[in-house]
Amino acid sequence: MAIISRNPVCRWLVTVLLSLASFQLLAADAKGEDSEYKIYELEFETDSNWTSVEIRDDAVFVNAPVGASMNLTSKDGLRSFTLSPQKLHLRSRSRGLVNMNLFVRSKNNVLGLTLCKGSRSSYAKISSDQSTQKNDMKEQDHCETAALVLNLF
């Protein structure tokens, strides 16, 4: 960074590049490119002591839209709950049932996911209006890739 601040040509070039990037973002908003995204509701259930759901596509987890709410119930309580744009991670106090609904913003109607669970004998299930994916495999690796159909055209 010190090289850029000393060299006036580099400073000018960085300023121009940042300006172009911001103009492209403004132009994208003006064109309404964000309107191609749709928000879908998902139902999630697990009986594992920890589980995670990771999105492999350009979709992201979002807050509930206006008029909807996110609900989370846990039989024995949660130790931690982390929701980032690409990943959900739950750790419960014991191996008890956890239910929740999630919202995903995506351009596509198929969502690529990786479902992970805490033990061989537990399960993690995620569903949309159109399909359900359940990770109940008994292998040593507790993660499974899945594709979830969000909405049919």
Side-chain angles (χ1 to χ4, degrees):
M1 200 65 171
I3 295 172
I4 293 173
S5 63
R6 284 189 232 141
N7 189 337
V9 173
C10 287
R11 274 189 285 162
W12 177 79
L13 185 59
V14 168
T15 303
V16 169
L17 290 174
L18 289 174
S19 298
L20 286 174
S22 64
F23 285 134
Q24 287 176 346
L25 288 174
L26 290 173
D29 286 342
K31 289 180 186 175
E33 290 182 10
D34 199 38
S35 64
E36 294 178 18
Y37 285 95
K38 293 182 181 177
I39 295 179
Y40 301 96
E41 185 175 6
L42 305 175
E43 296 293 324
F44 180 70
E45 180 180 305
T46 187
D47 71 342
S48 180
N49 59 345
W50 73 265
T51 188
S52 69
V53 178
E54 186 173 355
I55 297 176
R56 297 189 324 262
D57 297 331
D58 64 345
V60 292
F61 290 117
V62 294
N63 289 330
V66 175
S69 62
M70 290 179 71
N71 297 308
L72 173 64
T73 59
S74 176
K75 179 182 174 188
D76 295 327
L78 293 177
R79 286 184 185 223
S80 66
F81 170 72
T82 306
L83 182 63
S84 68
Q86 291 293 310
K87 191 170 187 176
L88 160 73
H89 188 271
L90 289 171
R91 187 173 295 277
S92 57
R93 296 180 61 101
S94 66
R95 212 179 133 195
L97 191 62
V98 177
N99 291 316
M100 71 179 299
N101 65 331
L102 298 163
F103 294 92
V104 174
R105 188 182 77 169
S106 178
K107 285 185 180 181
N108 303 321
N109 68 330
V110 177
L111 181 64
L113 299 170
T114 301
L115 294 172
C116 297
K117 59 185 182 149
S119 68
R120 291 182 190 197
S121 59
S122 63
Y123 74 93
K125 181 175 85 170
I126 192 162
S127 60
S128 68
D129 289 340
Q130 303 296 328
S131 65
T132 299
Q133 291 295 330
K134 187 173 184 179
N135 179 351
D136 56 359
M137 62 184 187
K138 304 290 185 202
E139 284 98 30
Q140 191 69 22
D141 181 12
H142 305 300
C143 294
E144 180 179 28
T145 58
L148 188 67
V149 178
L150 297 172
N151 195 9
L152 296 176
F153 294 112

